[in-house]
Amino acid sequence: MTDRENYNDLYAFMLVAREGSFTKAASKLGVAQSGISRTVRDLEARLGVQLLTRTTRKLSLTQAGEQLYRTAQSSFQTLDNGLSMLAHFRDTPSGTVRINASQHAIDKVLLPKLAVFSQRYPEIRLELISESRFVDIIAEQFDAGVRLGGDVGEGMIAVRITPDIEMVAVATPEHFSRYGFPQTLKDLAGHPCIAYQFADGSLYQWEFWLDGKLIKHKPQGQWVFSDSYMEASAARKGLGLAYVPEDLVAEDLEHGTLIRVLKRYSHRFAGLHLYYPHRNVSPALRMVVETLKMS
């Protein structure tokens, strides 16, 4: 064969062999009988072998023709099956959806909302991967990611999946018995604080609002974590004052195991967003988007 044989000619040959007739094959292809006969002759010339034995009454395959027919038939059947599978993926919510998100987002948003998939879309496999760093979802082959609205990269399609997130400064009653209740932002200097560290090693500087201005406080203390869940857990153990999303400690605040302070200064982030790189998404990812997005 040449480097790449003409697949149309191979398909024409396969039809001739299957139908046992140039006329019938030409009819199926909607071309003239003389044209398909010439196509097969040219194919034989290029391959350097005779594929068909022609008589006035009968058309039969040579040994080489039989081998090529079996190969072509198998190959085109595999291709047809593959194309049918693509149609299935296009029309049916199935396959794997890989999402990169924080443990907070998985626990509080993705898992509760996507739990219905086990019954509603059993053919969709969900991979919810938690990391405490910003991930390039294209380079690391994720279908989508979850970030705060202000952190979604340019060129991405972003769908809001939560309301704004309010941050809360909390500690145990025992902590406040020892260090007192801070009344102003300056009072934070007298409290051991639990810090959040980004993947690049920098610390999140607590953001507060005072008289319409954003004020930042660099937490000072013995404990540093790269996960908000661990910050909240450390606060419950009385290890210091933590500044975490409200929904992580809602039950603690309700039961009084943690106490909130400096409420009037708290900062709000622009909600969590599911983001992905293009609009031509799979049906499976589309179902994820439709399930998560806020109405």
Side-chain angles (χ1 to χ4, degrees):
M1 262 194 195
T2 58
D3 288 343
R4 178 169 291 183
E5 188 51 72
N6 187 310
Y7 294 143
N8 289 333
D9 292 357
L10 288 172
Y11 188 74
F13 161 73
M14 185 187 72
L15 279 182
V16 171
R18 189 165 68 194
E19 298 296 328
S21 163
F22 283 107
T23 302
K24 290 180 180 179
S27 177
K28 283 186 174 292
L29 289 175
V31 299
Q33 187 270 344
S34 58
I36 198 168
S37 179
R38 186 182 313 108
T39 294
V40 174
R41 284 200 305 271
D42 290 345
L43 178 63
E44 289 176 318
R46 291 196 304 274
L47 296 177
V49 294
Q50 185 177 351
L51 301 173
L52 296 169
T53 299
R54 305 162 180 80
T55 65
T56 54
R57 293 185 178 183
K58 187 178 179 182
L59 189 67
S60 59
L61 290 168
T62 64
Q63 186 175 359
E66 182 68 35
Q67 176 64 44
L68 181 59
Y69 172 67
R70 287 198 300 268
T71 300
Q73 185 180 45
S74 174
S75 299
F76 280 111
Q77 183 62 53
T78 299
L79 182 59
D80 286 342
N81 291 340
L83 292 173
S84 296
M85 185 62 70
L86 288 180
H88 173 76
F89 283 132
R90 183 186 67 240
D91 301 329
T92 305
S94 61
T96 298
V97 178
R98 298 188 74 233
I99 303 176
N100 177 267
S102 67
Q103 187 63 38
H104 175 203
I106 292 173
D107 184 39
K108 297 298 184 180
V109 185
L110 302 188
L111 197 53
K113 288 189 175 183
L114 297 178
V116 298
F117 275 45
S118 60
Q119 297 296 326
R120 192 177 297 171
Y121 307 113
E123 293 188 41
I124 296 179
R125 172 186 169 90
L126 296 170
E127 296 182 4
L128 309 181
I129 308 302
S130 171
E131 295 190 50
S132 58
R133 62 185 179 94
F134 281 171
V135 167
D136 182 336
I137 60 171
I138 297 176
E140 300 197 26
Q141 298 184 323
F142 286 97
D143 297 293
V146 176
R147 287 184 186 175
L148 293 170
D151 293 330
V152 175
E154 292 185 9
M156 292 289 176
I157 300 163
V159 178
R160 179 184 280 266
I161 60 176
T162 73
D164 287 351
I165 295 175
E166 184 166 1
M167 299 295 287
V168 294
V170 297
T172 60
E174 294 76 17
H175 173 92
F176 294 121
S177 295
R178 181 175 180 182
Y179 296 99
F181 287 95
Q183 301 299 318
T184 68
L185 297 180
K186 292 181 179 180
D187 295 337
L188 287 173
H191 289 258
C193 295
I194 298 164
Y196 181 95
Q197 181 175 278
F198 294 111
D200 63 5
S202 63
L203 295 182
Y204 166 59
Q205 296 189 49
W206 296 3
E207 296 169 283
F208 297 98
W209 289 93
L210 177 62
D211 299 329
K213 296 181 179 180
L214 186 64
I215 306 297
K216 294 188 177 183
H217 169 72
K218 186 174 182 179
Q220 301 293 329
Q222 185 179 8
W223 300 91
V224 179
F225 299 95
S226 62
D227 184 276
S228 295
Y229 270 77
M230 296 309 300
E231 288 184 280
S233 180
R236 294 185 191 103
K237 296 181 183 298
L239 302 181
L241 190 69
Y243 195 49
V244 295
E246 183 179 21
D247 60 353
L248 289 188
V249 292
E251 291 186 9
D252 300 279
L253 296 175
E254 182 180 349
H255 297 144
T257 52
L258 290 175
I259 298 174
R260 180 180 182 181
V261 294
L262 303 172
K263 181 176 181 178
R264 67 182 182 275
Y265 303 109
S266 288
H267 180 62
R268 283 178 174 266
F269 285 104
L272 291 174
H273 288 65
L274 182 79
Y275 67 98
Y276 46 96
H278 50 73
R279 297 188 182 278
N280 186 25
V281 301
S282 69
L285 179 56
R286 177 58 58 194
M287 291 303 101
V288 169
V289 172
E290 293 300 316
T291 303
L292 291 177
K293 75 178 182 180
M294 295 181 62
S295 56

